[in-house]
Amino acid sequence: PDIDAAISAYQEAVAADPQFALAWARLAYACAWTINFVPSVDTHAMADKSKAAFDKALALNPYLPEAHVAAGFYHEWVENDDVAAKADFKRALALNPQDANAQLALADTEYHLGYLDDANAAYERAVSLDPRNVLALQGLAWLEGERHQYAAADRNLLKALDVNYHAGLTWGMRDYLAWFSTGSGAAQLAMIMAAPPDVRAIPTHLVDHAMALYHSHDYAAALPLFTASRGSAYSEPLLCEWRADTRWQLGQRDKAAAEYRYCADLILADPNHEASGYESAQLGWAYVRLGRNGDAERESRRAVAILPVSKNWEGGAHMLANLARVEAQLGHADKAVPILDSLVSTDHGGVISIATVRTDVDYDPIRNTPEFKQLLQRYASVHY
C-alpha cells in the first residue's frame, strides 16, 4: 500500500541529487514492481519511468549491482523476458555474491524457465544469505509445492510466519498448497480460518476464502465474497470469471452468461490482449461457457502457443491446465486426459495435482468416461 509513497521518496532523492545512482536503481525497481503487482497502474507510463531510471543508474555506475537487479526486473516484469532477466541478475551477483535480493531474483527466473534444481539451489542460497527474508522462504516453499513436497513447503512457510505472522501472501500460499495437496475445499478453508483476523480481512484473502468455499461446493457463501472483494490483487476479468463460475454452479445460468460476456468484453477491450496468454485462456473459458465451442478451443490453444512451458514453465502449465478444462467442458476426454496426465505426473504441484483432479468440478463432464477413470486409477495410490 505504500508503493506510491516509496516512488515519490525516490523521486525526491534523485531530484535532490541527480548523480545518486542507487536512488535511480531503486526508483526503477519500484516502478517495475507496480507493473507486476498493482492491477490499476498505467503500465506504459511506469515502464517508461523504470527503463529511464535504470538506464540513468547504469550510466552513472555500470558496476552497481542494484542497477543490474532493477534492469533484470524490468526484463522480467515488463518484457516477460526471463532469459534477459537472468543475465542481469547474474551480472549483479558477479559484482556482489552476497546480495540476497539478486540471489532471490535469480532463483525466480530459474524457476520460471523450468530449471528447478538450479532454482532450488538459488533459493537455498538466498535463505542462507538472509534467513529472515520472507520472500526467499516463500519462493523456496512454492518450489517445494510444485514438486509435491507439500509438508516441506509448509515448514518453510511457518518459518516465514515466524518473521511476519501477519503476511497475507504467506497465509495465502499455505491455503492454496493445502488445496493442491488434498483436493479438499474444507482443508483449504481450515487453513484460511487459522489466519489472524487482520489477514482474513485483506481483499485478496477474501478471494482466497471465496475460492475455498467454492472448492467446498458452498457456492451461496462464496458468491458474496467474490462480489465484495474489489481492491484485491486479482484482476477484474479474473474476479468476473470466478463470479460467473459461482453463479453457474448455483444454476443462475442467465446471470452467469451475462458475467461471462462482461469478462470477454473486458479482455477484448485491452489493446494488448492478443499478446497475452492469460487473457486468451480466460477468453477461451468464457467462450466455452457461452457455448461458443470453436472459439473456446481456438483461444485456449492460442494461449498455449503464446505462453508455452518452454517460455515460462509455470505460466505454460497454467495455459495447459486451462486447455484441459476447456476440452473437458466440451466432452473431449480423449484430448483433456493426456494433458492432465502430463501435468500431474510432473513437477507442477502449484498449478494442478491428482488430488485436485479427483475433486474439481471443472472435470465433471468427463468424470464418468473410461479415459478419466483410467487416469484416476493410474494415480490411485498417490497421496501427498
Side-chain angles (χ1 to χ4, degrees):
D2 296 326
I3 189 64
D4 289 339
I7 290 173
S8 294
Y10 287 133
Q11 287 174 330
E12 288 180 24
V14 297
D17 181 0
Q19 305 304 306
F20 194 177
L22 181 59
W24 282 111
R26 291 187 173 164
L27 173 61
Y29 168 79
C31 291
W33 189 94
T34 65
I35 293 169
N36 198 49
F37 293 106
V38 182
S40 60
V41 75
D42 183 338
T43 57
H44 295 295
M46 279 299 179
D48 290 345
K49 286 183 180 180
S50 179
K51 188 174 190 311
F54 77 72
D55 280 346
K56 180 71 172 177
L58 287 170
L60 289 168
N61 184 355
Y63 304 105
L64 181 67
E66 289 86 352
H68 291 285
V69 170
F73 279 118
Y74 176 88
H75 293 310
E76 180 182 356
W77 290 339
V78 177
E79 299 179 336
N80 296 313
D81 188 343
D82 284 294
V83 173
K86 176 179 173 179
D88 267 307
F89 297 142
K90 284 197 163 187
R91 289 189 195 100
L93 285 167
L95 293 165
N96 180 10
Q98 303 303 308
D99 188 333
N101 288 327
Q103 192 68 54
L104 173 58
L106 175 64
D108 287 342
T109 55
E110 297 283 23
Y111 163 58
H112 293 155
L113 291 167
Y115 303 130
L116 300 196
D117 289 339
D118 291 339
N120 191 83
Y123 280 126
E124 289 184 342
R125 173 69 173 157
V127 171
S128 71
L129 288 170
D130 187 0
R132 293 178 60 79
N133 188 319
V134 170
L135 294 177
L137 289 165
Q138 288 171 343
L140 179 58
W142 195 258
L143 179 62
E144 290 168 333
E146 292 278 30
R147 290 180 145 178
H148 307 285
Q149 299 167 359
Y150 298 111
D154 200 54
R155 285 194 292 272
N156 276 312
L157 292 175
L158 287 171
K159 290 179 183 177
L161 289 178
D162 284 340
V163 179
N164 181 2
Y165 190 70
H166 299 271
L169 181 56
T170 306
W171 283 104
M173 293 174 73
R174 290 192 79 202
D175 78 64
Y176 267 93
L177 290 178
W179 160 244
F180 290 124
S181 65
T182 65
S184 165
Q188 184 181 9
L189 187 60
M191 188 66 75
I192 283 170
M193 300 311 293
D198 62 319
V199 171
R200 294 204 304 272
I202 297 170
T204 302
H205 211 68
L206 289 176
V207 178
D208 294 351
H209 191 167
M211 288 302 300
L213 291 167
Y214 183 93
H215 291 147
S216 302
H217 304 167
D218 191 350
Y219 306 115
L223 184 58
L225 288 180
F226 280 131
T227 303
S229 56
R230 300 186 192 281
S232 76
Y234 298 106
S235 68
E236 177 56 21
L238 197 53
L239 289 170
C240 175
E241 176 188 311
W242 290 334
R243 291 194 303 269
D245 286 346
T246 307
R247 291 190 184 281
W248 183 273
Q249 297 300 335
L250 283 167
Q252 300 174 5
R253 297 300 168 87
D254 289 344
K255 289 182 178 179
E259 290 267 26
Y260 287 123
R261 283 192 290 271
Y262 172 59
C263 179
D265 289 344
L266 286 174
I267 293 167
L268 293 171
D270 179 358
N272 300 311
H273 77 272
E274 291 188 350
S276 170
Y278 284 98
E279 291 197 337
S280 290
Q282 285 180 257
L283 203 54
W285 183 249
Y287 285 157
V288 80
R289 289 295 209 202
L290 292 169
R292 296 173 56 175
N293 296 353
D295 292 335
E297 199 165 23
R298 184 196 70 245
E299 288 295 333
S300 301
R301 291 192 176 279
R302 201 164 72 84
V304 173
I306 293 170
L307 194 63
V309 170
S310 59
K311 182 177 180 181
N312 186 306
W313 184 83
E314 181 194 24
H318 279 288
M319 300 306 100
L320 286 169
N322 180 74
L323 176 59
R325 68 178 184 149
V326 167
E327 296 291 7
Q329 291 295 308
L330 295 173
H332 299 163
D334 58 324
K335 296 179 180 179
V337 168
I339 299 171
L340 293 173
D341 197 2
S342 70
L343 289 172
V344 301
S345 63
T346 51
D347 292 333
H348 288 295
V351 174
I352 195 171
S353 70
I354 193 61
T356 60
V357 171
R358 289 179 185 131
T359 61
D360 196 326
V361 294
D362 288 349
Y363 308 115
D364 283 357
I366 61 170
R367 193 164 296 281
N368 293 319
T369 63
E371 296 96 332
F372 195 83
K373 289 180 177 179
Q374 289 165 11
L375 174 71
L376 295 185
Q377 184 58 38
R378 261 197 307 280
Y379 296 95
S381 63
V382 175
H383 297 278
Y384 305 113

